[in-house]
Amino acid sequence: FDPRHYLGTHCYGLPKTGPHRLRFLLESVKDLRETLKRKGSTLVVRKGKPEDVVCDLITQLGSVTAVVFHEEVREIL
């Protein structure tokens, strides 16, 4: 969870993630973790800036051969 997603927007200061969206995200992550556990896997969840968290996780795991990500689409004003 990237803390920057829970700050106000740069245009109007409105929250990027309100309480309903946050509840949906948390329930979705919980459901995904439970589904993966039933299949013999797991889900790693971290809070922090992805550029820091991913680097720390790679170092911790030690045997990572690839990292895949997507970049957030930003509005063009």
Side-chain angles (χ1 to χ4, degrees):
F1 290 93
D2 186 341
R4 295 171 290 196
H5 287 218
Y6 306 96
L7 302 173
T9 60
H10 58 273
C11 293
Y12 302 104
L14 300 171
K16 288 183 178 182
T17 305
H20 299 291
R21 183 175 183 193
L22 179 58
R23 183 173 44 245
F24 173 77
L25 289 171
L26 293 173
E27 289 173 355
S28 298
V29 168
K30 180 180 177 184
D31 182 64
L32 177 58
R33 177 179 271 159
E34 290 169 0
T35 300
L36 289 170
K37 279 186 178 181
R38 284 194 302 271
K39 296 183 180 286
S41 190
T42 190
L43 177 66
V44 176
V45 178
R46 297 287 188 268
K47 176 185 168 190
K49 294 180 180 179
E51 56 270 25
D52 298 330
V53 172
V54 172
C55 184
D56 293 343
L57 191 56
I58 290 169
T59 302
Q60 182 182 8
L61 294 173
S63 62
V64 176
T65 58
V67 176
V68 179
F69 67 94
H70 78 277
E71 185 174 353
E72 181 180 0
V73 177
R74 299 185 186 265
E75 293 180 51
I76 300 174
L77 299 177

